[in-house]
Each structure stands twice: as structure tokens, then as C-alpha cells.
Amino acid sequence: MMSSKSTSGAYVWIWLPGSTEPVVAGKLTTIGEDLVFNYGRSYLNREDAIPIYDVELPLRSGVLPLLDGLRIPNCIRDAAPDAWGRRVIMNKVLGTSSVEIDTTQLTELTYLLESGSDRIGALDFQLSPTEYIPRWSANATLEELSKAAEKVELGVPLSPDLDQALLHGSSIGGARPKALIGGDSKKYIAKFSSVSDLYSVVKAEYVAMRLAHTVGLDVAPVSLKRVLGKDVLLIERFDRVPADGDWLRRHMISALTLFELDDMTARYASYEQFAEIIRHRFKNPTETLRELYARLVYNVLCGNTDDHARNHAAFWDGECLELTPAYDICPQPRTGNEASHAMQIHGTNNMSQIEVCLQAAPAFLLTRNQAWDIASGQVEMIRANWDGVCGEAGLSEIDMKVLQDRQFLNPYSIIGL
């Protein structure tokens, strides 16, 4: 185990556009409770250097001040593990007691330095400014990874090989059990069933992602596997591009970074504000606005109320932003009809209703009639393809009833349609 718990800094390495090898960009340093960043002189002297994100970390020398309210640059925090990855790291560092210990027991630097190197996006973190040593995983099957994920949920220590294999995927976001797996031409995120699942959450996400593609959204391809009697969802990674036996890494930032918010203030994130950022800063803003609006509508129609700002992201090439394919579209349980979304939709209204989406249409440069056509068209496509996609997933009648009319096309959400 590395000495990351006691270090006061870490070097940030970046894969520049078109490159299969990383270079050191600069250093993160602890100052009080904050982590601040400054670029290295050698990086600033490169002709191909790009800002990690120009709003937060423009290309200039010296320690760069944090945006108001932040303790770490958001574009750096985007590369850190979230709830699941932190549990994996706690299991490794703290052992079985990690089930009861709060994740703040370990520092943010520890999470950055202990998590796997194949993290989402194009950054990694090292103790050295001159030698890049990746933290790769031991080869492990889906069966072994599934068992390991269940042990972490239960707080059971892992063998060294499984520890390293599961640690490989500890840098990706989200709260559910998952791992990273690779192939010759594609890489995947594997999402496992949880010991606490009351219904087939994995199949529900598969259905939601497949129907999202059917209604015309730009969405990451998915497939289902059956492993040890449990469902596993494989999501194709879109931040990796094969290149002559190696991989290019596409740099990404979350919508939370675009909003200049942190996890404590994420409730103020707004689809309308997102639309404004797109109008001013994104490639192909008109087409992107329509895509984001269609995703908003679909989130309402499928019951994906966990559409928080870390579940939206953009590619960043140093000059322009471009919306990534949609991911983490997962219907959420609801006990009644009313539900609210993680992001505000129109003004401060975040209620899960198509009518609220229609009111927000002008922010996306859409007329009410155009917005209506998007919503009604999605309803028709969901209904027309429901049985076929549920059949692909092998959903039981009970699970279909749980999803249909409760999460998908809930009567409250489609009042007026």
C-alpha cells in the first residue's frame, strides 16, 4: 500500500488529445483543508498543452485560486472515485471495519492516489513528477469480480489479486457495485446486482438504456450478462478510443463542473442553466440543446429522477465542449405518483412531469409544439418497443409490473399527454 494517506501532494498526469502516453501537467498541494493546483513549467512550455478546464484552471503559472465554495478544483474532483470506489478503497485500506466508517476518514488525496489508473476521462494521479507507474488490475473474470463486489458490500476483506482487480474500477463514479473490464477494441463498465436490491435494478437500467436508444437518444451501448445466477450490465465506454494496439483517452468534465457547484450545492443545478451554458460554449449548440431536452423528457418518462449533475458530462478538448453520450439512465423506485428530479427543470420546479418540461422548452430554443412532438413521440416509441426490450432483458412479469406505469410512463408524469 502506498503512503498516500500521509502525503501532502500529488502530481496530475494528463493524456493530451491524440496521445497514447501521459505527461505531467502539474501538482495538487494541500493547503489547510483545500487542495490547490499549479501547472508545471515544462507543461506550460508545451505547444500542445491544454487547460484541464479553462474556467477553473487556465494555463498560467502559480497556484490557481479555487472557485468560491470549492475545496478542490471540480475538474480534478471529476476524476476522483464516488461512493462505490470509496468503499472499495476503504475495504483495502481499513479492512472489514470500513462498513461502519465514514468515507471522510480518508483524505481526498488518498482516494485519488489509491484508485485505479484507468479512470474515466484523461487524468491520473501519481506521487512522482517524472515516472508514471500505472495502477493496473490483475486479470479477473466477471464471476470473480461479482464475488469481490459482494464481499466489499458486506465489508469482507479481499485476496490481494481480487483486491487489485476490483481496485482497477474504483475510480469510476456512482454508488452501485461496479468494475472496469477491457477487450481488444472496446472497454466496458460492468455494473453488478447489489445484495440490497429488492428487484432487478440491473435489468431495469438495461431496459431504460435500450429504450433511450430506441427513442433516438445518443446513448452508450449496453448488453446483459448472467453471472453466478445474477445479472451484470455491461456499458461500453465512450472515453476510450483504440489506437494501434493502445488507447486514446478523451478528457471529460461533469455538468457539476460546468455549473461551478460542489456536491453540497448540487441541488441548485438546473437544466435551464445547462442549456444556457450549451448556447454559449458547446459545439453545435442547436443540435445539442435538442439532445439535452430529449434526455430531460426521457428521464421524466422512464422515472430516472436521479439525473444529478454528475450524471451529465461533456468532452473537453482544450477549446470546445461536446455532450457525451447519455449514461446512468436508471429508473428510480417510487412509492406514490409524485416524484422530483435531482436537477431543477423550469425555474426552481423539479417535479417529474412533462408539463414542467414543456414550460422549459424556450430555454432550449424549442417551441411548445416542437417540445410536445418530442415528448409524444417518445411515449409512442416506448409503448411500441416495451414488450420487445423487456423480452431482451428477460424481465419477469413481476418486474415488468414494477417498472410499467410506476417508473415508466407514470400517470403523474404524463398528465396531459
Side-chain angles (χ1 to χ4, degrees):
M1 182 176 65
M2 66 180 65
S3 59
S4 55
K5 289 178 290 183
S6 59
T7 188
S8 61
Y11 291 93
V12 180
W13 290 65
I14 186 171
W15 280 256
L16 292 168
S19 176
T20 58
E21 297 292 334
V23 297
V24 66
K27 187 178 183 182
L28 275 175
T29 304
T30 301
I31 299 181
E33 296 184 359
D34 296 339
L35 274 175
V36 296
F37 178 81
N38 67 284
Y39 287 106
R41 184 180 303 172
S42 63
Y43 185 76
L44 291 174
N45 288 336
R46 296 180 66 99
E47 292 185 359
D48 58 351
I50 67 169
I52 296 175
Y53 179 50
D54 59 352
V55 173
E56 282 193 295
L57 302 179
L59 284 176
R60 63 170 184 252
S61 60
V63 174
L64 299 173
L66 293 168
L67 298 181
D68 289 345
L70 300 184
R71 290 296 175 85
I72 178 176
N74 259 348
C75 56
I76 300 290
R77 172 62 180 84
D78 283 339
D82 281 334
W84 170 252
R86 290 172 191 243
R87 287 189 68 177
V88 173
I89 292 167
M90 288 173 66
N91 182 281
K92 175 190 176 188
V93 175
L94 302 175
T96 57
S97 60
S98 64
V99 172
E100 290 81 30
I101 294 179
D102 189 275
T103 55
T104 57
Q105 290 287 324
L106 301 180
T107 68
E108 198 66 32
L109 275 176
T110 299
Y111 289 122
L112 292 173
L113 287 165
E114 293 280 357
S115 48
S117 289
D118 199 15
R119 68 189 69 242
I120 299 300
L123 299 180
D124 196 19
F125 306 92
Q126 300 276 309
L127 290 172
S128 170
T130 57
E131 184 182 14
Y132 179 76
I133 304 174
R135 297 176 295 282
W136 299 130
S137 69
N139 291 326
T141 65
L142 274 177
E143 288 81 1
E144 291 170 326
L145 289 169
S146 180
K147 288 180 181 178
E150 184 172 331
K151 286 184 177 181
V152 167
E153 284 197 283
L154 298 172
V156 178
L158 304 177
S159 67
D161 282 350
L162 280 185
D163 197 6
Q164 191 63 25
L166 204 60
L167 199 71
H168 178 56
S170 62
S171 53
I172 51 182
R176 290 187 57 80
K178 58 180 67 67
L180 295 176
I181 60 174
D184 293 334
S185 61
K186 294 179 181 178
K187 292 195 174 193
Y188 301 90
I189 296 171
K191 289 190 174 182
F192 302 106
S193 300
S194 171
V195 295
S196 60
D197 286 346
L198 299 178
Y199 65 99
S200 183
V201 176
V202 166
K203 285 184 176 179
E205 184 168 354
Y206 173 84
V207 169
M209 293 284 283
R210 286 285 294 115
L211 284 173
H213 173 74
T214 299
V215 304
L217 299 184
D218 179 17
V219 61
V222 294
S223 59
L224 270 180
K225 299 288 184 182
R226 191 74 175 166
V227 177
L228 299 176
K230 296 182 179 179
D231 301 306
V232 179
L233 179 69
L234 297 183
I235 305 171
E236 187 177 323
R237 291 181 64 173
F238 45 73
D239 63 330
R240 295 291 184 268
V241 180
D244 298 326
D246 211 327
W247 298 90
L248 301 175
R249 301 192 180 199
R250 299 196 68 181
H251 191 40
M252 288 170 50
I253 57 174
S254 71
L256 197 64
T257 294
L258 297 176
F259 293 138
E260 300 178 21
L261 300 172
D262 64 9
D263 292 301
M264 298 300 293
T265 56
R267 64 186 180 278
Y268 299 114
S270 159
Y271 277 100
E272 290 178 317
Q273 183 187 0
F274 199 175
E276 182 178 358
I277 294 169
I278 288 171
R279 291 198 301 270
H280 292 292
R281 301 211 64 207
F282 273 62
K283 291 180 181 177
N284 305 316
T286 302
E287 295 86 346
T288 303
L289 286 169
R290 187 178 183 91
E291 171 71 19
L292 179 62
Y293 187 78
R295 294 183 190 186
L296 163 60
V297 167
Y298 184 74
N299 283 337
V300 171
L301 294 179
C302 78
N304 177 34
T305 53
D306 190 35
D307 51 347
H308 56 79
R310 287 202 186 279
N311 278 346
H312 300 273
F315 294 122
W316 166 250
D317 63 7
E319 295 181 359
C320 297
L321 293 161
E322 181 182 359
L323 202 63
T324 71
Y327 58 94
D328 268 350
I329 303 177
C330 188
Q332 300 299 305
R334 61 207 292 175
T335 54
N337 282 330
E338 287 193 11
S340 57
H341 286 261
M343 282 174 45
Q344 298 166 2
I345 298 173
H346 177 57
T348 59
N349 191 339
N350 67 342
M351 297 309 292
S352 188
Q353 285 191 297
I354 290 300
E355 175 56 36
V356 182
C357 298
L358 297 177
Q359 294 168 14
F364 298 82
L365 306 183
L366 296 169
T367 66
R368 186 178 177 91
N369 284 342
Q370 289 172 322
W372 176 274
D373 288 343
I374 290 172
S376 59
Q378 287 192 12
V379 170
E380 290 179 12
M381 292 298 292
I382 290 170
R383 286 176 172 159
N385 292 278
W386 176 256
D387 288 343
V389 173
C390 288
E392 288 177 19
L395 271 181
S396 67
E397 286 190 25
I398 294 175
D399 280 346
M400 284 182 69
K401 289 178 180 178
V402 168
L403 288 179
Q404 194 173 25
D405 296 331
R406 181 166 293 278
Q407 283 128 311
F408 281 86
L409 305 185
N410 184 282
Y412 175 79
S413 69
I414 59 173
I415 290 173
L417 277 176

